Amino acid sequence: MRVVYSAEHLRHEPAHEYEDGKAIANYEVPERAETIRRALEADGGFTFEVHTEHGTESIAAVHDPAMLDYLASAWSEWVAAGEKAPEILPDTFPLPAYHEGMDRPRGPGHPRAQVATWVFDASSPIVEGTYGAARSAVDVALTAADLVLGGERFAYGLCRPPGHHAARAMMGGYCYFNNAAIVADDLARRTGGRVAILDVDYHHGNGTQQIFYALGDVLYVSLHGDPARAYPYFSGFAEESGTGAGSGATLNLPLPERCGGEEYLMHLDRALEAIDTFGGTTLVVSLGIDTYRLDPICDLALATQDYAEIGRRVAALERPTVVLQEGGYYVPDLGENVRSWLRGLEGTGN
Ligand code: Q9C
Ligand code: ZN
């Protein structure tokens, strides 16, 4: 299988996230992508490709161009305003109620107002290298899509930072640009056909869902920890199924705590059946490995061999497939778990 990787991700090294009143070490570390790269290199069955530059057009087709402009200049404006902190995090929460019954003032605003306008959680710092890394993750994803459009049955984009929590006009959940949504939109436009997205990250892909919620040509199917207990809390309930032309083109399958392989595969089969029924020319997989039994921030119980079986079942859809990396935070086994998933997909065993 061909794998697309960029070393540019190394420049996105957020130090902290915020939990229960404390700054803790950020879980979304560069070593995640490095350990995946090493595991696939050591396997010998994967061919590495460098990403190619795709510009900003495909990003602006999915995200608010003002958000793209913000991220491009956030760091230099932070420094120009005399801020000294090495990472930009929101310290205010501009809820709609702030301006209720008032005019909402426009204008550039303080850098701290800017970040709170675009970033919805306290897990997703912006550092000096964030914009370059987020751009490279999109390039990695689009290069993987090019390989599939060029005739490859599968391609894997080793994206970092991940993307599925980034909505049209909002960043967060370690995500800045929505790599999978950008690829799905690009594939829909380039093939003129329908595209399905299968999101197997532990967390609901609120951003991907939001981007396609009213659109009928992109199906979004997600298996995730039930938002009644799991981040991002505000979406991913079973009753969310799309709107307007997109009615029925969103499917959420919330999972119970400690869900293991056997139960997971039953839900997966429902997801795959929905994709099969929807049809479409290509499949995009948001591959999160934070469903793993040892993941430090999640509560499902999948094992390494389950990932191979999931990959095998996804392959049975017989569709050209772009697999893009999302979460997964138990770094010691992350490379092996991704390798297992991709080997299963290729049908080449362990
Ligand atoms: N105490 C991905 O897996 N932190 N994003 C939640 C809860 C954010 C996960 C903090 C988790 C984001 C791509
Ligand atoms: Zn996740």
Side-chain angles (χ1 to χ4, degrees), residues 109-165:
H110 190 278
R112 289 179 191 265
Q114 291 281 345
V115 65
T117 300
W118 296 112
V119 178
F120 77 90
D121 79 349
S123 306
S124 319
I126 295 167
V127 300
E128 186 170 8
T130 298
Y131 176 69
R135 283 286 308 275
S136 81
V138 172
D139 282 334
V140 162
L142 288 169
T143 305
D146 290 340
L147 291 172
V148 164
L149 286 180
E152 293 290 324
R153 169 77 205 282
F154 309 111
Y156 170 64
L158 212 179
C159 297
R160 183 180 173 271
H164 76 153
H165 295 302

Coordinates of all heavy atoms in Angstrom, one line a residue, residues 109-165:
G109 N -10.1 42.8 16.4 CA -10.1 42.3 17.8 C -8.8 41.9 18.3 O -7.8 41.7 17.5
H110 N -8.7 41.7 19.6 CA -7.5 41.3 20.2 C -7.2 39.8 19.8 O -8.1 39.1 19.6 CB -7.7 41.4 21.8 CG -6.5 41.2 22.6 ND1 -6.0 39.9 22.9 CD2 -5.7 42.1 23.2 CE1 -4.9 40.1 23.6 NE2 -4.7 41.4 23.8
P111 N -5.9 39.5 19.8 CA -5.6 38.1 19.4 C -6.3 37.0 20.3 O -6.6 35.9 19.9 CB -4.1 38.0 19.6 CG -3.6 39.4 19.4 CD -4.7 40.3 19.9
R112 N -6.5 37.4 21.6 CA -7.2 36.5 22.5 C -8.7 36.4 22.1 O -9.3 35.3 22.3 CB -7.1 36.9 23.9 CG -5.6 36.6 24.4 CD -5.5 37.1 25.9 NE -4.0 37.1 26.2 CZ -3.4 36.1 26.8 NH1 -4.1 35.0 27.1 NH2 -2.1 36.2 27.1
A113 N -9.3 37.4 21.6 CA -10.7 37.4 21.1 C -10.7 36.6 19.8 O -11.6 35.8 19.6 CB -11.2 38.8 20.8
Q114 N -9.7 36.7 19.0 CA -9.7 36.0 17.7 C -9.6 34.5 18.0 O -10.4 33.7 17.4 CB -8.4 36.4 16.9 CG -8.4 37.8 16.4 CD -9.3 37.9 15.1 OE1 -9.6 36.9 14.5 NE2 -9.6 39.1 14.8
V115 N -8.8 34.0 18.9 CA -8.7 32.6 19.1 C -9.9 32.0 19.6 O -10.4 30.9 19.3 CB -7.4 32.2 19.9 CG1 -7.5 32.7 21.3 CG2 -7.2 30.7 19.9
A116 N -10.6 32.8 20.5 CA -11.8 32.3 21.1 C -13.0 32.3 20.1 O -14.0 31.6 20.3 CB -12.2 33.2 22.3
T117 N -12.8 33.1 19.0 CA -13.8 33.1 18.0 C -13.8 31.9 17.1 O -14.8 31.4 16.6 CB -13.6 34.4 17.1 OG1 -13.7 35.6 17.9 CG2 -14.6 34.5 15.9
W118 N -12.6 31.3 17.0 CA -12.4 30.2 16.1 C -12.2 28.9 16.7 O -12.4 27.8 16.1 CB -11.2 30.5 15.1 CG -11.4 31.7 14.2 CD1 -10.7 32.8 14.3 CD2 -12.3 31.8 13.1 NE1 -11.2 33.7 13.3 CE2 -12.1 33.1 12.6 CE3 -13.3 30.9 12.6 CZ2 -12.9 33.5 11.5 CZ3 -14.0 31.4 11.5 CH2 -13.8 32.7 10.9
V119 N -11.7 28.8 18.0 CA -11.4 27.5 18.6 C -12.4 27.2 19.7 O -12.6 28.0 20.6 CB -9.9 27.6 19.2 CG1 -9.6 26.3 19.9 CG2 -8.9 27.9 18.0
F120 N -13.0 26.0 19.7 CA -14.1 25.8 20.6 C -13.7 25.0 21.9 O -14.5 24.8 22.7 CB -15.2 25.0 19.9 CG -15.0 23.5 19.6 CD1 -15.4 22.6 20.5 CD2 -14.3 23.1 18.4 CE1 -15.1 21.2 20.3 CE2 -14.1 21.7 18.2 CZ -14.5 20.8 19.1
D121 N -12.5 24.6 22.0 CA -12.1 23.9 23.2 C -10.7 24.3 23.7 O -10.0 25.0 23.0 CB -12.2 22.3 23.1 CG -11.1 21.7 22.3 OD1 -10.3 22.4 21.7 OD2 -11.1 20.4 22.4
A122 N -10.3 23.7 24.8 CA -9.0 24.1 25.4 C -8.0 23.0 25.2 O -7.1 22.8 26.1 CB -9.2 24.4 26.9
S123 N -8.2 22.2 24.2 CA -7.2 21.1 23.9 C -6.3 21.4 22.7 O -5.5 20.5 22.4 CB -8.0 19.8 23.6 OG -8.9 19.5 24.6
S124 N -6.6 22.5 22.0 CA -6.0 22.6 20.7 C -5.2 23.9 20.5 O -5.6 24.8 19.8 CB -7.2 22.7 19.7 OG -8.2 21.7 20.0
P125 N -4.1 24.0 21.2 CA -3.2 25.2 21.1 C -2.8 25.4 19.7 O -2.5 24.5 18.9 CB -2.0 24.9 22.0 CG -2.4 23.7 22.8 CD -3.4 22.9 22.0
I126 N -2.6 26.7 19.4 CA -1.9 27.1 18.1 C -0.5 27.5 18.5 O -0.3 28.4 19.4 CB -2.7 28.3 17.5 CG1 -4.1 27.8 17.0 CG2 -1.9 28.8 16.3 CD1 -5.0 28.9 16.7
V127 N 0.5 26.9 17.9 CA 1.9 27.2 18.1 C 2.5 27.7 16.8 O 1.8 27.7 15.7 CB 2.7 26.0 18.7 CG1 2.1 25.6 20.0 CG2 2.7 24.8 17.7
E128 N 3.7 28.1 16.8 CA 4.4 28.7 15.6 C 4.2 27.8 14.4 O 3.9 28.3 13.3 CB 5.9 28.9 15.9 CG 6.5 29.7 14.8 CD 7.9 30.2 15.1 OE1 8.4 29.8 16.2 OE2 8.5 31.0 14.3
G129 N 4.4 26.5 14.5 CA 4.3 25.6 13.4 C 3.0 25.0 13.0 O 2.9 24.2 12.1
T130 N 1.9 25.5 13.7 CA 0.6 24.8 13.5 C 0.1 25.0 12.1 O -0.4 24.0 11.5 CB -0.4 25.3 14.6 OG1 0.1 25.0 15.9 CG2 -1.8 24.7 14.4
Y131 N 0.1 26.2 11.6 CA -0.4 26.4 10.3 C 0.3 25.6 9.2 O -0.4 24.9 8.4 CB -0.4 27.9 9.9 CG -0.9 28.2 8.5 CD1 -2.2 28.0 8.2 CD2 0.0 28.6 7.5 CE1 -2.7 28.2 6.9 CE2 -0.4 28.8 6.2 CZ -1.8 28.6 5.9 OH -2.3 28.8 4.6
G132 N 1.6 25.6 9.2 CA 2.3 24.8 8.3 C 2.0 23.3 8.4 O 1.9 22.6 7.4
A133 N 1.9 22.8 9.6 CA 1.6 21.4 9.8 C 0.2 21.1 9.4 O -0.1 20.1 8.7 CB 1.8 21.0 11.3
A134 N -0.8 21.9 9.7 CA -2.2 21.7 9.3 C -2.3 21.7 7.7 O -3.0 20.9 7.2 CB -3.1 22.7 9.9
R135 N -1.5 22.7 7.1 CA -1.5 22.7 5.6 C -0.9 21.4 5.1 O -1.4 20.8 4.1 CB -0.7 23.9 5.1 CG -1.4 25.2 5.2 CD -2.5 25.4 4.1 NE -2.0 25.1 2.8 CZ -1.4 26.0 2.0 NH1 -1.2 27.2 2.4 NH2 -0.9 25.6 0.8
S136 N 0.2 20.9 5.7 CA 0.8 19.7 5.2 C -0.1 18.5 5.4 O -0.1 17.6 4.6 CB 2.2 19.5 5.9 OG 2.0 18.9 7.2
A137 N -0.9 18.5 6.5 CA -1.8 17.3 6.7 C -2.9 17.3 5.6 O -3.2 16.2 5.1 CB -2.5 17.4 8.1
V138 N -3.3 18.5 5.2 CA -4.3 18.5 4.0 C -3.6 18.1 2.8 O -4.2 17.3 2.0 CB -4.8 20.0 3.9 CG1 -5.6 20.1 2.6 CG2 -5.6 20.4 5.1
D139 N -2.3 18.5 2.5 CA -1.6 18.0 1.4 C -1.4 16.5 1.4 O -1.5 15.9 0.3 CB -0.3 18.8 1.3 CG -0.4 20.2 0.7 OD1 -1.4 20.5 0.0 OD2 0.5 21.0 1.1
V140 N -1.1 16.0 2.5 CA -0.9 14.5 2.7 C -2.2 13.8 2.3 O -2.2 12.9 1.5 CB -0.5 14.2 4.1 CG1 -0.8 12.7 4.4 CG2 0.9 14.5 4.4
A141 N -3.3 14.4 2.8 CA -4.7 13.7 2.5 C -5.0 13.8 1.0 O -5.5 12.9 0.4 CB -5.7 14.4 3.3
L142 N -4.8 15.0 0.4 CA -5.1 15.2 -1.0 C -4.2 14.4 -1.9 O -4.6 13.9 -3.0 CB -5.1 16.7 -1.4 CG -6.2 17.5 -0.8 CD1 -6.0 19.0 -1.0 CD2 -7.6 17.2 -1.4
T143 N -2.9 14.2 -1.5 CA -2.0 13.4 -2.3 C -2.5 11.9 -2.2 O -2.4 11.2 -3.2 CB -0.6 13.5 -1.7 OG1 -0.2 14.9 -1.7 CG2 0.4 12.8 -2.6
A144 N -2.9 11.5 -1.0 CA -3.5 10.1 -0.9 C -4.7 10.0 -1.9 O -4.9 8.9 -2.5 CB -3.8 9.8 0.5
A145 N -5.5 11.0 -1.9 CA -6.7 10.9 -2.8 C -6.3 10.9 -4.2 O -6.9 10.2 -5.1 CB -7.6 12.2 -2.5
D146 N -5.2 11.6 -4.6 CA -4.7 11.6 -6.0 C -4.3 10.2 -6.4 O -4.5 9.7 -7.5 CB -3.5 12.5 -6.1 CG -3.8 14.0 -6.1 OD1 -5.0 14.3 -6.3 OD2 -2.9 14.8 -5.8
L147 N -3.7 9.5 -5.4 CA -3.2 8.1 -5.7 C -4.4 7.2 -6.0 O -4.4 6.4 -6.9 CB -2.4 7.5 -4.5 CG -1.1 8.2 -4.2 CD1 -0.5 7.7 -2.9 CD2 -0.1 7.9 -5.4
V148 N -5.5 7.4 -5.2 CA -6.7 6.5 -5.5 C -7.3 6.9 -6.8 O -7.8 6.1 -7.6 CB -7.6 6.7 -4.2 CG1 -9.0 6.1 -4.6 CG2 -7.0 5.9 -3.1
L149 N -7.4 8.2 -7.1 CA -8.0 8.6 -8.4 C -7.1 8.2 -9.5 O -7.6 7.9 -10.6 CB -8.2 10.1 -8.4 CG -9.3 10.7 -7.6 CD1 -9.4 12.2 -7.7 CD2 -10.7 10.1 -8.0
G150 N -5.8 8.0 -9.2 CA -4.9 7.5 -10.2 C -4.9 6.0 -10.4 O -4.1 5.4 -11.2
G151 N -5.8 5.3 -9.7 CA -6.0 3.9 -9.9 C -5.6 3.0 -8.7 O -5.8 1.8 -8.8
E152 N -5.0 3.5 -7.7 CA -4.7 2.7 -6.5 C -6.0 2.3 -5.8 O -6.9 3.1 -5.7 CB -3.9 3.4 -5.5 CG -2.5 3.8 -5.9 CD -1.6 2.6 -6.1 OE1 -1.7 1.6 -5.2 OE2 -0.7 2.6 -7.0
R153 N -6.1 1.0 -5.4 CA -7.3 0.6 -4.7 C -7.4 1.2 -3.3 O -8.4 1.6 -2.8 CB -7.2 -1.0 -4.6 CG -8.3 -1.6 -3.7 CD -9.7 -1.7 -4.3 NE -10.7 -1.7 -3.3 CZ -11.0 -2.8 -2.6 NH1 -10.5 -4.0 -2.9 NH2 -12.0 -2.8 -1.7
F154 N -6.2 1.4 -2.6 CA -6.1 2.0 -1.3 C -5.0 2.9 -1.3 O -4.0 2.7 -1.9 CB -5.8 0.9 -0.2 CG -6.7 -0.3 -0.3 CD1 -6.2 -1.5 -0.7 CD2 -8.0 -0.2 0.1 CE1 -7.0 -2.7 -0.7 CE2 -8.8 -1.3 0.1 CZ -8.3 -2.6 -0.3
A155 N -5.1 4.0 -0.4 CA -4.0 4.8 -0.1 C -4.2 5.3 1.4 O -5.3 5.5 1.8 CB -3.8 6.0 -1.0
Y156 N -3.1 5.4 2.1 CA -3.1 5.9 3.5 C -2.4 7.2 3.6 O -1.2 7.3 3.3 CB -2.5 4.8 4.4 CG -2.3 5.2 5.8 CD1 -3.4 5.5 6.6 CD2 -1.0 5.3 6.3 CE1 -3.2 5.9 8.0 CE2 -0.8 5.7 7.7 CZ -1.9 6.0 8.5 OH -1.7 6.4 9.8
G157 N -3.1 8.2 4.1 CA -2.5 9.5 4.5 C -2.2 9.6 5.9 O -3.1 9.5 6.7
L158 N -0.9 9.7 6.3 CA -0.5 9.7 7.7 C -0.7 11.2 8.2 O 0.3 11.9 8.4 CB 0.9 9.2 7.9 CG 1.3 8.5 9.2 CD1 2.7 8.0 9.1 CD2 1.0 9.3 10.4
C159 N -1.9 11.6 8.3 CA -2.2 13.0 8.6 C -1.9 13.3 10.1 O -2.3 12.6 11.0 CB -3.7 13.3 8.3 SG -4.2 13.2 6.6
R160 N -1.3 14.4 10.3 CA -1.1 15.0 11.7 C -0.9 16.5 11.5 O 0.0 16.8 10.8 CB 0.0 14.3 12.4 CG 0.1 14.9 13.8 CD 1.2 14.3 14.7 NE 1.1 15.2 15.9 CZ 1.8 16.3 16.1 NH1 2.6 16.8 15.1 NH2 1.6 17.0 17.2
P161 N -1.6 17.4 12.1 CA -2.7 17.1 13.1 C -3.9 16.4 12.4 O -4.1 16.5 11.2 CB -3.1 18.5 13.6 CG -2.7 19.4 12.5 CD -1.4 18.8 11.9
P162 N -4.8 15.8 13.3 CA -6.0 15.2 12.7 C -7.0 16.3 12.3 O -6.7 17.5 12.4 CB -6.5 14.4 14.0 CG -6.0 15.1 15.1 CD -4.7 15.7 14.7
G163 N -8.2 15.8 11.9 CA -9.1 16.8 11.3 C -10.6 16.8 11.6 O -11.3 17.8 11.5
H164 N -11.1 15.6 12.1 CA -12.5 15.5 12.0 C -13.4 16.3 13.0 O -14.6 16.4 12.9 CB -12.9 14.0 12.1 CG -12.8 13.4 13.5 ND1 -13.6 12.3 13.9 CD2 -12.0 13.7 14.6 CE1 -13.3 12.0 15.1 NE2 -12.3 12.8 15.5
H165 N -12.7 17.0 14.0 CA -13.5 17.9 14.8 C -13.5 19.3 14.3 O -14.2 20.2 14.8 CB -12.8 18.0 16.2 CG -12.9 16.7 17.0 ND1 -14.1 16.1 17.3 CD2 -12.0 15.9 17.5 CE1 -13.9 14.9 18.0 NE2 -12.6 14.8 18.1

